[in-house]
Amino acid sequence: MPGIPVSAGFAIGLAFGVVGLLSGFCLMSSLRDWWTANDGRKVRSYALALAVAILGTQFIAGAGLVDIAKSIYLQPSFSAPLIFAGGLLFGFGMVLSNGCASRALVLLGKGNLRSLVVIAIIGIAAQMTLKGLIAPARLGVLQATQTTPAAVSAPGLLASMGIDEFVARIAVTLIASGALLIFAFSDRQFRRAYGQIAAGLAVGLLVTAGWLTTGWLGADDFNPIPVTSLSFVSPIADSLQYTMLSTGLTLSFGIALVAGVLSGSLVTAVVTGRFKLEGYTSPNHMVRSISGAALMGIGGAMAYGCSIGQGLTGLSTLGMPSFIAVAGILAGAAFGIRGSVIIPALATR
């Protein structure tokens, strides 16, 4: 039933907005703190979220509740160069804008007007790349470089070597999630950061809830919907289009998710006294922010997701394209952060 994914999407977004505002959950700020301030608590919270998302997603997939093979992350054919380049652009863009797409939604809820500009530019740039002026170039590169490998996921790759598919899924799931959990809890500071631990657990469970919503609760053979979970670049683009042209369009899980994140952040900010209107500090600040947003919109569309859409939801499928996309995102972020792209005026966002 179409009402279930929309209602559940809003509820999931509401919870993400609350968690995001209270904990500062964001890959960009996590990497910045880790690489420049030697504070790994947030990046370990992200690792915990990914471990929980992998465990939850692979469990419901193995139990037959959700067919994640129908998701965009496990397509039989994909373009590794296009996905990596998209991730690279997104990673660099989130450094310029000093936050990823999901973080911009959370910050907008607490009155950060810079984020309103970032979200609008992300939506416009993503639509241009998916369906507009840039779409022909993207499709041309896709057609010229796409391949159809024998396996599109890590468990599938192991199974292609003669290992039973069920055993391969369990093995890869335990290895990946186990390594992430060891990384997360090996740090004494993180073990004492109960808020960050709670945030990681919550976000990982929300990813699993998203899969269950679109792949099980909302499954309808007569009115099928995309099987997906938390992601923000394409949903922001769809939300922008829906806001302008709602007549003839229908609400979706992604649009409801975006609305939920904004609502959750806004309510939390008001209740906790964190709501405060903020703007740009200089023209240069605005130019860098807009440039970063454009790169995130274009890159996120090319890579089929963002730091959440590929970094958590995509990786939870253990799909090879998601590993490629995340490698690009990390490379782009490293280039931006290590290259001293963040100036003091932006670092105070």
Side-chain angles (χ1 to χ4, degrees), residues 1-339:
M1 296 177 63
I4 295 177
V6 171
S7 300
F10 183 80
I12 291 170
L14 198 72
F16 186 91
V18 173
V19 173
L21 184 63
L22 294 178
S23 68
F25 190 90
C26 171
L27 180 60
M28 161 59 205
S29 60
S30 300
L31 295 175
R32 182 185 61 201
D33 290 350
W34 193 29
W35 289 341
T36 64
N38 198 29
D39 183 353
R41 286 175 295 179
K42 286 185 179 179
V43 80
R44 293 173 195 278
S45 178
Y46 193 95
L48 174 59
L50 179 54
V52 174
I54 290 174
L55 286 169
T57 302
Q58 294 303 314
F59 175 78
I60 61 177
L65 294 176
V66 177
D67 186 2
I68 59 175
K70 293 181 179 179
S71 72
I72 195 173
Y73 308 105
L74 294 176
Q75 297 179 88
S77 298
F78 61 89
S79 168
L82 185 68
I83 290 174
F84 182 80
L88 201 66
L89 292 176
F90 185 92
F92 188 70
M94 72 179 185
V95 174
L96 287 178
S97 292
N98 205 27
C100 61
S102 63
R103 187 61 181 163
L105 286 170
V106 171
L107 290 176
L108 177 58
K110 69 183 289 287
N112 188 320
L113 299 180
R114 301 187 296 271
S115 295
L116 178 61
V117 177
V118 169
I119 290 168
I121 298 299
I122 287 175
I124 293 170
Q127 285 287 21
M128 289 174 60
T129 309
L130 291 170
K131 305 174 184 178
L133 293 175
I134 308 176
R138 178 183 65 85
L139 292 173
V141 174
L142 174 63
Q143 292 171 359
T145 59
Q146 68 179 354
T147 57
T148 305
V152 294
S153 69
L157 183 62
L158 204 60
S160 68
M161 300 177 184
I163 299 176
D164 179 77
E165 290 186 11
F166 184 73
V167 174
R169 182 192 296 275
I170 293 177
V172 177
T173 298
L174 292 179
I175 291 171
S177 59
L180 288 164
L181 289 172
I182 290 172
F183 168 73
F185 289 101
S186 62
D187 182 72
R188 180 180 298 178
Q189 277 190 317
F190 179 71
R191 292 198 298 270
R192 296 176 178 175
Y194 302 116
Q196 292 299 327
I197 292 174
L201 290 171
V203 173
L205 291 173
L206 288 176
V207 171
T208 306
W211 285 118
L212 283 170
T213 295
T214 60
W216 183 48
L217 292 176
D220 187 344
D221 293 336
F222 297 100
N223 186 25
I225 62 173
V227 179
T228 187
S229 185
L230 272 65
S231 189
F232 291 98
V233 170
S234 182
I236 285 175
D238 292 340
S239 298
L240 186 63
Q241 185 176 27
Y242 185 84
T243 301
M244 297 185 297
L245 308 167
S246 61
T247 303
L249 300 178
T250 57
L251 286 171
S252 65
F253 172 83
I255 295 174
L257 178 72
V258 169
V261 173
L262 284 172
S263 301
S265 175
L266 174 61
V267 171
T268 305
V270 172
V271 170
T272 60
R274 303 186 188 195
F275 186 85
K276 179 182 178 182
L277 293 178
E278 301 177 60
Y280 288 106
T281 59
S282 69
N284 183 58
H285 188 182
M286 184 173 184
V287 169
R288 294 172 75 92
S289 181
I290 290 176
S291 300
L295 290 177
M296 282 195 286
I298 295 170
M302 290 168 56
Y304 302 119
C306 57
S307 54
I308 299 294
Q310 283 285 22
L312 291 179
T313 296
L315 284 183
S316 73
T317 69
L318 300 174
M320 304 307 291
S322 297
F323 286 105
I324 296 170
V326 172
I329 292 172
L330 293 177
F335 180 77
I337 295 174
R338 297 290 189 179

